[in-house]
Amino acid sequence: MTDVILEVRDITKTFPGVKALDAVSFDIRPGEVHALVGENGAGKSTLMKTLAGLHQPDGGEILYMGKPITVAGPLEARQEGILLIHQELSLSPELSVAENIYLGAWPTNRFGVLKKRELRQNSAKALKALGCGFGPDVRVGTLSVAMQQMVEIARAEAFRANVVIFDEPTASLTDNEKDQLFQTIRNLKSKGVGIVYISHKMDEIFDITDRITVLRDGQVQGTVDTAGTDLNQITRMMIGRTLDNYFVKAKAEFGEEVLRVEGLSNKGLFRDVSFSVRQGEVLGLYGLVGAGRSEVVETIFGVRKADGGKLWWNGAEIPLPTPRQSIDMGMALVPESRKEQGLVLMMGGRENTSLPHLQLFSSGSIMDKKKELETYRKYQEALAIKTTGPDQAVSQLSGGNQQKFVLAKWLCANPKLIILDEPTRGIDVGSKSAIHELIAELAEKGLAVIVISSEMPEVLGVSHRVLTMSEGAVVAAFEGDGLTEENLIDAVSHQPASVAAE
Amino acid sequence: MQDALKGLLRRHGLIVAFMVFLAGVALNTDAFLSAGNILDVLRQVSITGMMAVGVTFVVLTGRLDLSVGSMLTLLTVIVVDQHNQSGPLMAMIITLAAGCALGAINGVLVGYIGLNSLIVTLAMLSFLQGLVLFYSGGSNVNITNAQDTWFAVFGRASLFGIPVPVVMFLAAAAVAAFVLKFTTFGRQIYGVGGNETASVFSGIDSRRAVFWTYVISGLTTGLAAIIMGSRVMGAQNTIGQGYELTVLAGIILGGTSLLGGSGSIGRTVLGIAMLGFIQNGLLLLGFPYYVQWLVTWAVIIIAVWIDLGAKRGRIFA
Ligand SMILES: Nc1ncnc2c1ncn2[C@@H]1O[C@H](COP(=O)(O)OP(=O)(O)OP(=O)(O)O)[C@@H](O)[C@H]1O
Ligand SMILES: [Mg+2]
């Protein structure tokens, strides 16, 4: 018995224009949680995709239980006992939980007929082992993100995985759900499963992992024991410098009111929401995932139709705008989901950046490509976005770099109000603090800013004022000395009176 | 080296296969690559090509237009009939206006009301078939003064040795390519086809963009009807039957994706021309005319297969 389950030696992977992995060596021991960290585009997801059979390496070898193997595809990987839980969940929403657990490897009899009972029983067992509160027959589309993730993890039980890889698993989880996930990870660990954990959230890394491997530009910077290192050392290995001031808050100098809403409602999503935000002010919206925060800002922006409510812009009451009107007035919305709402994946960074402001990048309806390129370059440099060129399809970029283009496309037209819905989801520590600095900078330039975040330190760190939402209603507001973790936790864990009564 | 070859085949496999086919036909026949035959093929594809230019706009948004075949029939009947009644110029204006109006009906139903484009345009196909018979009373129409009308120019004349319909087709393609590549409207179309939700979040009125693609499709079908009427100097009630499939086949063959968001007019011109040369080549090789339908079928299946394969690769790799 070796003390290494899986080892990669000198793995190299090149995409057109980028060396994503450059002679990477890495190993996983049974019963350990091994962190993989690095900047956006460092190669973390690519490395894990090669282990899970989604990419074939150009060079190097993979040793599994001491023997060299080639992982032909994701199904083979699963059957070998290597399971990747994706950065973006990859379940079929129309299928049941049981069918998803065994997706593509359904138990069948001689005639190819699905063995439904076996499928259900095995799935139920796996779900039970994880302590999931739902059964195998539920349709996956009706589950929350956290529950869907549990379905993916249930595959680890069902296929008796020896290696489970988590690629940014907590990006859209609430704190409670995160605790639950960590419990599950510790369970897997105690059973001797080797776990790889990718995250940009350093507190999680120090909380749950045993060893940390740092990747930078496709090369391993080193592997260290978590117990024997600290945040500064890891940050330095990741980005070549340390980050001292994590949060910079904009000076609290407010001007005129930019936006005010009163009594905004949207049936089944939220009701009677009222607030205002001023020039130079950063307003935080905090709440658990599903509290209705994104729906509120999407309604203000006009992509959802409101059922009632009034809106003032620069002090004048106006009818609720369409997205086009919102943008032309100077409103910007960085949406929650970059792949569905944020980007046209087959377009390059240049075309994505100009998409909301075509009239600004054209004269007489003819696109001004030069102006487009200039703006693209400016933001690509300012946000340090890693691409091979202005027209590389953004589908080929790493998750964090995609997110940066969503920011670029909304910053480039100098909005008066910018609404940021989870702006740092999936963004590395260096760029994260750059974005926090950017928020402060924008506010000091006189923009009104609304930040939605599920990360408490982030909301507290950047906002002048925080509204908490729960179950579709604003339940409390805090500012100044009231901006404390206890207050926010307290506010969101109490349900609004009207809901409790229902 | 081998990898490079494989990559080439995967990306341009159809074109390589086409070249091989061309070479094969050229070796076995004398006339195939003669200037006369090439111009002939281009003249034959100018009607489907003209229609495909407009339908490409629709397909780029991820939608379909199956109504263009029977729309071509109706518009050809109209242009011929009106030529007799109101003269060539009025006939052309009425035809183009009717094309835009029919396209606008599709556009409202698919774009603004949000109905499924396959069903809407299939229903339109059937409705127009009925309308043709209603309009013509079931009899064929012919241009009465066929010998001395300048209307003959569009189907029969040449400009510097190039048939006028080919010039019209290529000119329309050039304008359309410019619109798609260099204008804000073109960018909106690619945006809507690539990711409609993200486009709506970017303030693009996707309903309006879709609406206009159908109007454009109706307009190019009107232009095609003018060529058709001028060439035949008459119209039967089935003259455009099946054209919608040839048009779609050419678009797919060129590599424009039915899923929307990727493709171009250049590709459509290429696809339509390839289809024309394949059919012409088969005839020259002595195959009966119906073989071209079987081959067209096979070509469509292969093209769609490659399209899906490429998409999967892009999304999951
Ligand atoms: N399919 C692809 N085609 C071309 N380039 C790719 C492809 N997948 C990844 N890359 C490139 O490989 C590099 C590494 O990407 P990867 O997704 O592994 O980064 P990451 O470390 O996971 O980043 P993040 O933290 O942002 O998720 C990036 O430069 C990316 O653009
Ligand atoms: Mg990644």
Side-chain angles (χ1 to χ4, degrees), chain A residues 323-351:
Chain A
R324 182 75 261 151
Q325 288 164 339
S326 297
I327 295 168
D328 293 343
M329 289 184 323
M331 208 192 288
L333 171 63
V334 173
E336 186 178 19
S337 144
R338 57 177 165 256
K339 285 203 168 160
E340 279 85 49
Q341 306 165 328
L343 295 169
V344 180
L345 288 174
M346 23 185 147
M347 284 184 172
R350 171 177 65 91
E351 294 185 333

PDB file of all heavy atoms in Angstrom, chain A residues 323-351:
ATOM      1  N   PRO A 323     -34.555  47.702 -19.738  1.00  0.00           N
ATOM      2  CA  PRO A 323     -33.088  47.650 -19.607  1.00  0.00           C
ATOM      3  C   PRO A 323     -32.396  48.703 -20.467  1.00  0.00           C
ATOM      4  O   PRO A 323     -31.439  49.325 -20.032  1.00  0.00           O
ATOM      5  CB  PRO A 323     -32.753  46.243 -20.098  1.00  0.00           C
ATOM      6  CG  PRO A 323     -33.978  45.440 -19.874  1.00  0.00           C
ATOM      7  CD  PRO A 323     -35.127  46.382 -20.034  1.00  0.00           C
ATOM      8  N   ARG A 324     -32.903  48.904 -21.685  1.00  0.00           N
ATOM      9  CA  ARG A 324     -32.283  49.892 -22.570  1.00  0.00           C
ATOM     10  C   ARG A 324     -32.315  51.279 -21.928  1.00  0.00           C
ATOM     11  O   ARG A 324     -31.323  51.993 -21.888  1.00  0.00           O
ATOM     12  CB  ARG A 324     -33.023  49.887 -23.905  1.00  0.00           C
ATOM     13  CG  ARG A 324     -32.490  50.807 -24.975  1.00  0.00           C
ATOM     14  CD  ARG A 324     -31.222  50.280 -25.602  1.00  0.00           C
ATOM     15  NE  ARG A 324     -30.042  50.900 -25.038  1.00  0.00           N
ATOM     16  CZ  ARG A 324     -28.868  50.295 -24.970  1.00  0.00           C
ATOM     17  NH1 ARG A 324     -28.708  49.075 -25.403  1.00  0.00           N
ATOM     18  NH2 ARG A 324     -27.840  50.906 -24.458  1.00  0.00           N
ATOM     19  N   GLN A 325     -33.504  51.651 -21.397  1.00  0.00           N
ATOM     20  CA  GLN A 325     -33.628  52.956 -20.762  1.00  0.00           C
ATOM     21  C   GLN A 325     -32.704  53.056 -19.553  1.00  0.00           C
ATOM     22  O   GLN A 325     -32.059  54.075 -19.331  1.00  0.00           O
ATOM     23  CB  GLN A 325     -35.074  53.200 -20.344  1.00  0.00           C
ATOM     24  CG  GLN A 325     -36.002  53.456 -21.527  1.00  0.00           C
ATOM     25  CD  GLN A 325     -37.474  53.324 -21.168  1.00  0.00           C
ATOM     26  OE1 GLN A 325     -37.817  52.687 -20.168  1.00  0.00           O
ATOM     27  NE2 GLN A 325     -38.340  53.912 -21.988  1.00  0.00           N
ATOM     28  N   SER A 326     -32.645  51.962 -18.768  1.00  0.00           N
ATOM     29  CA  SER A 326     -31.768  51.961 -17.592  1.00  0.00           C
ATOM     30  C   SER A 326     -30.334  52.246 -17.995  1.00  0.00           C
ATOM     31  O   SER A 326     -29.659  53.078 -17.389  1.00  0.00           O
ATOM     32  CB  SER A 326     -31.829  50.600 -16.886  1.00  0.00           C
ATOM     33  OG  SER A 326     -33.126  50.361 -16.419  1.00  0.00           O
ATOM     34  N   ILE A 327     -29.883  51.544 -19.028  1.00  0.00           N
ATOM     35  CA  ILE A 327     -28.490  51.706 -19.455  1.00  0.00           C
ATOM     36  C   ILE A 327     -28.266  53.128 -19.953  1.00  0.00           C
ATOM     37  O   ILE A 327     -27.276  53.778 -19.600  1.00  0.00           O
ATOM     38  CB  ILE A 327     -28.141  50.687 -20.552  1.00  0.00           C
ATOM     39  CG1 ILE A 327     -28.212  49.265 -20.003  1.00  0.00           C
ATOM     40  CG2 ILE A 327     -26.748  50.960 -21.114  1.00  0.00           C
ATOM     41  CD1 ILE A 327     -28.173  48.185 -21.065  1.00  0.00           C
ATOM     42  N   ASP A 328     -29.205  53.632 -20.746  1.00  0.00           N
ATOM     43  CA  ASP A 328     -29.039  54.982 -21.288  1.00  0.00           C
ATOM     44  C   ASP A 328     -29.081  56.059 -20.207  1.00  0.00           C
ATOM     45  O   ASP A 328     -28.451  57.098 -20.325  1.00  0.00           O
ATOM     46  CB  ASP A 328     -30.101  55.250 -22.363  1.00  0.00           C
ATOM     47  CG  ASP A 328     -29.879  54.369 -23.594  1.00  0.00           C
ATOM     48  OD1 ASP A 328     -28.757  53.826 -23.731  1.00  0.00           O
ATOM     49  OD2 ASP A 328     -30.810  54.205 -24.399  1.00  0.00           O
ATOM     50  N   MET A 329     -29.823  55.790 -19.132  1.00  0.00           N
ATOM     51  CA  MET A 329     -29.836  56.735 -18.009  1.00  0.00           C
ATOM     52  C   MET A 329     -28.521  56.715 -17.250  1.00  0.00           C
ATOM     53  O   MET A 329     -28.197  57.661 -16.548  1.00  0.00           O
ATOM     54  CB  MET A 329     -30.934  56.360 -17.005  1.00  0.00           C
ATOM     55  CG  MET A 329     -32.341  56.605 -17.489  1.00  0.00           C
ATOM     56  SD  MET A 329     -33.599  56.266 -16.218  1.00  0.00           S
ATOM     57  CE  MET A 329     -33.023  54.868 -15.325  1.00  0.00           C
ATOM     58  N   GLY A 330     -27.791  55.617 -17.369  1.00  0.00           N
ATOM     59  CA  GLY A 330     -26.540  55.516 -16.636  1.00  0.00           C
ATOM     60  C   GLY A 330     -26.578  54.492 -15.520  1.00  0.00           C
ATOM     61  O   GLY A 330     -25.863  54.600 -14.525  1.00  0.00           O
ATOM     62  N   MET A 331     -27.427  53.489 -15.695  1.00  0.00           N
ATOM     63  CA  MET A 331     -27.473  52.413 -14.698  1.00  0.00           C
ATOM     64  C   MET A 331     -26.726  51.222 -15.273  1.00  0.00           C
ATOM     65  O   MET A 331     -26.769  50.971 -16.475  1.00  0.00           O
ATOM     66  CB  MET A 331     -28.935  52.024 -14.440  1.00  0.00           C
ATOM     67  CG  MET A 331     -29.186  51.459 -13.061  1.00  0.00           C
ATOM     68  SD  MET A 331     -30.829  50.710 -12.920  1.00  0.00           S
ATOM     69  CE  MET A 331     -31.908  52.100 -12.908  1.00  0.00           C
ATOM     70  N   ALA A 332     -26.025  50.485 -14.435  1.00  0.00           N
ATOM     71  CA  ALA A 332     -25.317  49.292 -14.900  1.00  0.00           C
ATOM     72  C   ALA A 332     -25.608  48.161 -13.932  1.00  0.00           C
ATOM     73  O   ALA A 332     -25.663  48.380 -12.724  1.00  0.00           O
ATOM     74  CB  ALA A 332     -23.819  49.553 -14.969  1.00  0.00           C
ATOM     75  N   LEU A 333     -25.808  46.980 -14.466  1.00  0.00           N
ATOM     76  CA  LEU A 333     -26.064  45.817 -13.607  1.00  0.00           C
ATOM     77  C   LEU A 333     -25.100  44.699 -13.963  1.00  0.00           C
ATOM     78  O   LEU A 333     -25.160  44.136 -15.050  1.00  0.00           O
ATOM     79  CB  LEU A 333     -27.510  45.334 -13.786  1.00  0.00           C
ATOM     80  CG  LEU A 333     -27.856  43.988 -13.120  1.00  0.00           C
ATOM     81  CD1 LEU A 333     -27.715  44.080 -11.607  1.00  0.00           C
ATOM     82  CD2 LEU A 333     -29.261  43.553 -13.486  1.00  0.00           C
ATOM     83  N   VAL A 334     -24.205  44.395 -13.056  1.00  0.00           N
ATOM     84  CA  VAL A 334     -23.337  43.234 -13.220  1.00  0.00           C
ATOM     85  C   VAL A 334     -24.103  42.050 -12.647  1.00  0.00           C
ATOM     86  O   VAL A 334     -24.272  41.950 -11.434  1.00  0.00           O
ATOM     87  CB  VAL A 334     -22.014  43.427 -12.455  1.00  0.00           C
ATOM     88  CG1 VAL A 334     -21.192  42.150 -12.477  1.00  0.00           C
ATOM     89  CG2 VAL A 334     -21.231  44.574 -13.070  1.00  0.00           C
ATOM     90  N   PRO A 335     -24.627  41.177 -13.510  1.00  0.00           N
ATOM     91  CA  PRO A 335     -25.574  40.182 -13.014  1.00  0.00           C
ATOM     92  C   PRO A 335     -24.906  39.035 -12.271  1.00  0.00           C
ATOM     93  O   PRO A 335     -23.688  38.882 -12.287  1.00  0.00           O
ATOM     94  CB  PRO A 335     -26.259  39.694 -14.281  1.00  0.00           C
ATOM     95  CG  PRO A 335     -25.270  39.903 -15.355  1.00  0.00           C
ATOM     96  CD  PRO A 335     -24.416  41.074 -14.953  1.00  0.00           C
ATOM     97  N   GLU A 336     -25.764  38.246 -11.652  1.00  0.00           N
ATOM     98  CA  GLU A 336     -25.317  37.192 -10.760  1.00  0.00           C
ATOM     99  C   GLU A 336     -24.591  36.070 -11.500  1.00  0.00           C
ATOM    100  O   GLU A 336     -23.574  35.577 -11.037  1.00  0.00           O
ATOM    101  CB  GLU A 336     -26.566  36.636 -10.068  1.00  0.00           C
ATOM    102  CG  GLU A 336     -26.293  35.625  -9.012  1.00  0.00           C
ATOM    103  CD  GLU A 336     -27.589  35.169  -8.354  1.00  0.00           C
ATOM    104  OE1 GLU A 336     -28.666  35.357  -8.964  1.00  0.00           O
ATOM    105  OE2 GLU A 336     -27.515  34.624  -7.248  1.00  0.00           O
ATOM    106  N   SER A 337     -25.147  35.673 -12.648  1.00  0.00           N
ATOM    107  CA  SER A 337     -24.597  34.498 -13.300  1.00  0.00           C
ATOM    108  C   SER A 337     -23.904  34.887 -14.590  1.00  0.00           C
ATOM    109  O   SER A 337     -24.525  35.327 -15.537  1.00  0.00           O
ATOM    110  CB  SER A 337     -25.738  33.515 -13.565  1.00  0.00           C
ATOM    111  OG  SER A 337     -25.532  32.857 -14.778  1.00  0.00           O
ATOM    112  N   ARG A 338     -22.585  34.751 -14.590  1.00  0.00           N
ATOM    113  CA  ARG A 338     -21.837  35.294 -15.725  1.00  0.00           C
ATOM    114  C   ARG A 338     -22.119  34.534 -17.011  1.00  0.00           C
ATOM    115  O   ARG A 338     -22.152  35.114 -18.084  1.00  0.00           O
ATOM    116  CB  ARG A 338     -20.339  35.301 -15.431  1.00  0.00           C
ATOM    117  CG  ARG A 338     -19.778  33.943 -15.095  1.00  0.00           C
ATOM    118  CD  ARG A 338     -18.280  33.993 -14.895  1.00  0.00           C
ATOM    119  NE  ARG A 338     -17.829  32.783 -14.246  1.00  0.00           N
ATOM    120  CZ  ARG A 338     -17.489  32.713 -12.968  1.00  0.00           C
ATOM    121  NH1 ARG A 338     -17.532  33.790 -12.217  1.00  0.00           N
ATOM    122  NH2 ARG A 338     -17.118  31.580 -12.449  1.00  0.00           N
ATOM    123  N   LYS A 339     -22.330  33.228 -16.913  1.00  0.00           N
ATOM    124  CA  LYS A 339     -22.509  32.457 -18.152  1.00  0.00           C
ATOM    125  C   LYS A 339     -23.895  32.633 -18.744  1.00  0.00           C
ATOM    126  O   LYS A 339     -24.053  32.662 -19.952  1.00  0.00           O
ATOM    127  CB  LYS A 339     -22.245  30.972 -17.896  1.00  0.00           C
ATOM    128  CG  LYS A 339     -20.772  30.709 -17.763  1.00  0.00           C
ATOM    129  CD  LYS A 339     -20.413  29.276 -18.060  1.00  0.00           C
ATOM    130  CE  LYS A 339     -18.910  29.141 -18.188  1.00  0.00           C
ATOM    131  NZ  LYS A 339     -18.443  27.783 -18.024  1.00  0.00           N
ATOM    132  N   GLU A 340     -24.905  32.706 -17.902  1.00  0.00           N
ATOM    133  CA  GLU A 340     -26.257  32.822 -18.443  1.00  0.00           C
ATOM    134  C   GLU A 340     -26.617  34.276 -18.738  1.00  0.00           C
ATOM    135  O   GLU A 340     -27.214  34.572 -19.759  1.00  0.00           O
ATOM    136  CB  GLU A 340     -27.295  32.252 -17.475  1.00  0.00           C
ATOM    137  CG  GLU A 340     -27.426  30.745 -17.543  1.00  0.00           C
ATOM    138  CD  GLU A 340     -26.392  30.067 -16.674  1.00  0.00           C
ATOM    139  OE1 GLU A 340     -26.262  30.464 -15.499  1.00  0.00           O
ATOM    140  OE2 GLU A 340     -25.685  29.156 -17.146  1.00  0.00           O
ATOM    141  N   GLN A 341     -26.272  35.175 -17.811  1.00  0.00           N
ATOM    142  CA  GLN A 341     -26.760  36.538 -17.946  1.00  0.00           C
ATOM    143  C   GLN A 341     -25.683  37.529 -18.348  1.00  0.00           C
ATOM    144  O   GLN A 341     -25.967  38.609 -18.831  1.00  0.00           O
ATOM    145  CB  GLN A 341     -27.364  36.999 -16.612  1.00  0.00           C
ATOM    146  CG  GLN A 341     -28.431  36.058 -16.099  1.00  0.00           C
ATOM    147  CD  GLN A 341     -28.769  36.310 -14.642  1.00  0.00           C
ATOM    148  OE1 GLN A 341     -27.908  36.707 -13.860  1.00  0.00           O
ATOM    149  NE2 GLN A 341     -30.013  36.059 -14.278  1.00  0.00           N
ATOM    150  N   GLY A 342     -24.435  37.140 -18.132  1.00  0.00           N
ATOM    151  CA  GLY A 342     -23.379  38.128 -18.266  1.00  0.00           C
ATOM    152  C   GLY A 342     -22.725  38.205 -19.629  1.00  0.00           C
ATOM    153  O   GLY A 342     -22.409  39.282 -20.110  1.00  0.00           O
ATOM    154  N   LEU A 343     -22.498  37.053 -20.253  1.00  0.00           N
ATOM    155  CA  LEU A 343     -21.640  37.047 -21.432  1.00  0.00           C
ATOM    156  C   LEU A 343     -22.258  36.278 -22.580  1.00  0.00           C
ATOM    157  O   LEU A 343     -23.029  35.343 -22.379  1.00  0.00           O
ATOM    158  CB  LEU A 343     -20.305  36.376 -21.089  1.00  0.00           C
ATOM    159  CG  LEU A 343     -19.428  37.080 -20.064  1.00  0.00           C
ATOM    160  CD1 LEU A 343     -18.296  36.166 -19.638  1.00  0.00           C
ATOM    161  CD2 LEU A 343     -18.875  38.380 -20.618  1.00  0.00           C
ATOM    162  N   VAL A 344     -21.903  36.691 -23.801  1.00  0.00           N
ATOM    163  CA  VAL A 344     -22.171  35.857 -24.969  1.00  0.00           C
ATOM    164  C   VAL A 344     -20.901  35.037 -25.156  1.00  0.00           C
ATOM    165  O   VAL A 344     -19.871  35.553 -25.571  1.00  0.00           O
ATOM    166  CB  VAL A 344     -22.471  36.699 -26.212  1.00  0.00           C
ATOM    167  CG1 VAL A 344     -22.740  35.807 -27.407  1.00  0.00           C
ATOM    168  CG2 VAL A 344     -23.653  37.614 -25.954  1.00  0.00           C
ATOM    169  N   LEU A 345     -20.980  33.756 -24.800  1.00  0.00           N
ATOM    170  CA  LEU A 345     -19.755  32.973 -24.652  1.00  0.00           C
ATOM    171  C   LEU A 345     -18.959  32.804 -25.933  1.00  0.00           C
ATOM    172  O   LEU A 345     -17.745  32.669 -25.896  1.00  0.00           O
ATOM    173  CB  LEU A 345     -20.085  31.599 -24.068  1.00  0.00           C
ATOM    174  CG  LEU A 345     -20.474  31.630 -22.593  1.00  0.00           C
ATOM    175  CD1 LEU A 345     -20.919  30.253 -22.136  1.00  0.00           C
ATOM    176  CD2 LEU A 345     -19.324  32.109 -21.736  1.00  0.00           C
ATOM    177  N   MET A 346     -19.628  32.806 -27.095  1.00  0.00           N
ATOM    178  CA  MET A 346     -18.834  32.607 -28.304  1.00  0.00           C
ATOM    179  C   MET A 346     -18.202  33.895 -28.818  1.00  0.00           C
ATOM    180  O   MET A 346     -17.395  33.856 -29.730  1.00  0.00           O
ATOM    181  CB  MET A 346     -19.615  31.913 -29.409  1.00  0.00           C
ATOM    182  CG  MET A 346     -21.091  32.024 -29.337  1.00  0.00           C
ATOM    183  SD  MET A 346     -21.797  31.006 -30.653  1.00  0.00           S
ATOM    184  CE  MET A 346     -23.304  30.474 -29.876  1.00  0.00           C
ATOM    185  N   MET A 347     -18.583  35.027 -28.236  1.00  0.00           N
ATOM    186  CA  MET A 347     -17.933  36.268 -28.640  1.00  0.00           C
ATOM    187  C   MET A 347     -16.642  36.448 -27.848  1.00  0.00           C
ATOM    188  O   MET A 347     -16.461  35.877 -26.788  1.00  0.00           O
ATOM    189  CB  MET A 347     -18.844  37.457 -28.338  1.00  0.00           C
ATOM    190  CG  MET A 347     -20.004  37.627 -29.297  1.00  0.00           C
ATOM    191  SD  MET A 347     -20.919  39.133 -28.883  1.00  0.00           S
ATOM    192  CE  MET A 347     -22.039  39.218 -30.267  1.00  0.00           C
ATOM    193  N   GLY A 348     -15.777  37.279 -28.379  1.00  0.00           N
ATOM    194  CA  GLY A 348     -14.549  37.593 -27.673  1.00  0.00           C
ATOM    195  C   GLY A 348     -14.772  38.697 -26.646  1.00  0.00           C
ATOM    196  O   GLY A 348     -15.886  39.208 -26.494  1.00  0.00           O
ATOM    197  N   GLY A 349     -13.705  39.045 -25.949  1.00  0.00           N
ATOM    198  CA  GLY A 349     -13.800  40.088 -24.940  1.00  0.00           C
ATOM    199  C   GLY A 349     -14.195  41.428 -25.540  1.00  0.00           C
ATOM    200  O   GLY A 349     -14.967  42.185 -24.959  1.00  0.00           O
ATOM    201  N   ARG A 350     -13.686  41.718 -26.715  1.00  0.00           N
ATOM    202  CA  ARG A 350     -13.975  43.001 -27.349  1.00  0.00           C
ATOM    203  C   ARG A 350     -15.470  43.162 -27.585  1.00  0.00           C
ATOM    204  O   ARG A 350     -16.080  44.160 -27.181  1.00  0.00           O
ATOM    205  CB  ARG A 350     -13.233  43.077 -28.686  1.00  0.00           C
ATOM    206  CG  ARG A 350     -13.614  44.259 -29.550  1.00  0.00           C
ATOM    207  CD  ARG A 350     -12.771  44.295 -30.824  1.00  0.00           C
ATOM    208  NE  ARG A 350     -13.017  43.150 -31.692  1.00  0.00           N
ATOM    209  CZ  ARG A 350     -13.934  43.126 -32.670  1.00  0.00           C
ATOM    210  NH1 ARG A 350     -14.685  44.185 -32.882  1.00  0.00           N
ATOM    211  NH2 ARG A 350     -14.083  42.071 -33.424  1.00  0.00           N
ATOM    212  N   GLU A 351     -16.083  42.173 -28.214  1.00  0.00           N
ATOM    213  CA  GLU A 351     -17.503  42.307 -28.550  1.00  0.00           C
ATOM    214  C   GLU A 351     -18.386  42.234 -27.315  1.00  0.00           C
ATOM    215  O   GLU A 351     -19.431  42.879 -27.256  1.00  0.00           O
ATOM    216  CB  GLU A 351     -17.905  41.228 -29.557  1.00  0.00           C
ATOM    217  CG  GLU A 351     -17.219  41.419 -30.893  1.00  0.00           C
ATOM    218  CD  GLU A 351     -17.696  40.442 -31.958  1.00  0.00           C
ATOM    219  OE1 GLU A 351     -18.145  39.334 -31.613  1.00  0.00           O
ATOM    220  OE2 GLU A 351     -17.605  40.790 -33.127  1.00  0.00           O
TER     221      GLU A 351
END
